[in-house]
Amino acid sequence: MITKVLRNFFLGILATVLIGSLSYYIRLKMIEKSAEHFITKSQEYSKQVLEQQRSSLQAKQRQAEHDYKKAQEEHAFNEAFYAWYTEPDGCDNWKSDSHMVECVNHKINAKNTFKSIYQNN
C-alpha cells in the first residue's frame, strides 16, 4: 500500500515535471516563431524603405540631369542669340519710357525670330 502511494506520488511528480517541461518547450517554440516572424517582417520593411530611397534618389538624379541639360541648352541659346543680335543705335541709353519700350520690344521680337531660326536648325 505504501509503495503504491509512493509510486503514485512519484508518478504525479514526474507527470508534473514532464507537463511543465512540455509547456516550457511549447512557449519557447512560440517565442522562436514570433521572433522569426518579427525578423522577417523587419527585413521586408527594410527592403521596402531602401527601395523607396533608391527610387527617390534615382528620380532626383534624373531631374538634376534634366535641369542641367536644360540650363546648358538655355546658355547655348543665349550665347548664340547675343552673338547674332545687333542692338539698334541708341538702345544702350534710353531717352524716355517709350524709347525703352521700343528697344525692349525690338529685342523681344528679335529673340522670337532667332528662336524660330535656332529651333529649325
Side-chain angles (χ1 to χ4, degrees):
M1 169 101 164
I2 292 180
T3 53
K4 192 175 184 184
V5 170
L6 285 175
R7 186 186 68 175
N8 287 341
F9 176 74
F10 286 119
L11 284 176
I13 290 175
L14 183 61
T16 302
V17 168
L18 286 175
I19 290 172
S21 296
L22 182 60
S23 173
Y24 180 74
Y25 176 78
I26 290 170
R27 277 188 252 146
L28 282 178
K29 283 297 180 182
M30 289 173 58
I31 291 170
E32 184 179 296
K33 290 267 186 207
S34 293
E36 288 173 0
H37 178 74
F38 176 77
I39 290 170
T40 301
K41 289 296 181 184
S42 295
Q43 289 171 340
E44 289 172 4
Y45 178 74
S46 294
K47 285 179 185 177
Q48 288 175 350
V49 168
L50 287 173
E51 179 60 30
Q52 288 172 348
Q53 289 174 341
R54 185 184 66 76
S55 180
S56 175
L57 185 60
Q58 286 177 337
K60 287 178 183 177
Q61 184 176 4
R62 281 191 303 271
Q63 184 63 45
E65 289 170 357
H66 172 76
D67 292 347
Y68 178 73
K69 184 178 177 183
K70 187 174 179 180
Q72 283 182 318
E73 290 170 355
E74 285 179 24
H75 179 71
F77 171 80
N78 286 328
E79 279 192 349
F81 171 71
Y82 285 109
W84 173 83
Y85 178 66
T86 304
E87 189 173 65
D89 290 336
C91 280
D92 57 344
N93 187 19
W94 301 321
K95 294 173 180 46
S96 65
D97 286 348
S98 63
H99 183 238
M100 176 197 64
V101 169
E102 185 180 316
C103 290
V104 170
N105 282 339
H106 181 273
K107 189 173 185 178
I108 290 171
N109 291 334
K111 200 166 210 175
N112 288 335
T113 301
F114 181 77
K115 191 177 209 176
S116 66
I117 296 168
Y118 188 84
Q119 288 174 341
N120 290 329
N121 289 330

